[in-house]
């Protein structure tokens, strides 16, 4: 996707603070963190949102996201204290970047859901 900001980050056309990467996903620090730890975990395939997950291959990326989340949370020492994984989908879901991504948020006590 030419004009997708997360594809550009994946392709290293835009710099980011990468904390994890393999062939399926990349994870980097959110530009506007809402907590001491706020990482975005992004599939390397351009899928616009959760409703665009169709094939088994697509869902494989979600599995890789959760595997990466576990590694990152362990490395950042929040696997015991806890954290949140958030996927905003569509306008009402608050999604602003139209490339599926999962927020890994932690490092403080999180309140509420919306
Ligand atoms: P959404 O609201 O779509 O679920 O989340 C998009 C997130 O991407 C926001 O938390 C925003 O701060 C972050 N973001 C947007 N543009 C950039 C960028 O260029 N670099 C990084 N690291 N984060 C970004
Ligand atoms: Zn993209």
């Amino acid at each position: 996707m030419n004009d997708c900001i997360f594809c550009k980050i994946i392709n290293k056309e835009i710099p980011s603070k990468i904390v994890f990467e393999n062939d399926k996903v990349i994870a980097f620090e959110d530009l506007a963190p809402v907590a001491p730890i706020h990482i975005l975990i992004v599939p390397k395939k351009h899928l616009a949102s959760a409703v665009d997950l169709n094939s088994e291959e697509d869902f494989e990326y979600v599995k890789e996201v959760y595997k990466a989340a576990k590694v990152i949370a362990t490395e950042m020492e929040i696997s015991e204290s806890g954290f949140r994984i958030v996927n905003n989908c569509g306008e009402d879901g608050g999604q602003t970047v139209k490339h599926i991504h999962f927020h890994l948020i932690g490092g403080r006590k999180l309140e509420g859901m919306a």
Side-chain angles (χ1 to χ4, degrees):
M1 272 269 164
N2 277 343
D3 56 352
C4 171
I5 197 152
F6 286 175
C7 282
K8 286 181 178 159
I9 287 175
I10 290 164
N11 293 328
K12 316 278 164 66
E13 292 163 30
I14 292 178
S16 67
K17 292 184 180 165
I18 297 168
V19 299
F20 180 94
E21 183 171 17
N22 63 21
D23 60 326
K24 291 273 192 261
V25 301
I26 188 168
F28 51 88
E29 292 179 7
D30 195 294
L31 210 55
V34 299
I37 292 172
H38 187 168
I39 305 297
L40 297 173
I41 309 175
V42 183
K44 286 190 171 178
K45 179 175 179 177
H46 183 90
L47 297 158
S49 79
V51 293
D52 296 290
L53 294 164
N54 289 306
S55 65
E56 283 305 313
E57 188 220 357
D58 292 350
F59 285 101
E60 197 64 31
Y61 283 91
V62 179
K63 187 169 113 183
E64 291 295 328
V65 164
Y66 274 80
K67 285 169 79 173
K70 184 176 163 178
V71 171
I72 296 162
T74 303
E75 275 178 3
M76 296 192 169
E77 300 182 328
I78 56 167
S79 58
E80 298 287 322
S81 54
F83 55 89
R84 192 172 283 172
I85 296 172
V86 177
N87 169 236
N88 295 328
C89 182
E91 198 178 335
D92 281 2
Q95 183 180 7
T96 58
V97 178
K98 307 288 190 265
H99 179 134
I100 191 169
H101 54 278
F102 296 74
H103 301 252
L104 169 56
I105 303 166
R108 68 168 169 81
K109 178 89 176 155
L110 300 167
E111 312 283 349
M113 278 297 291

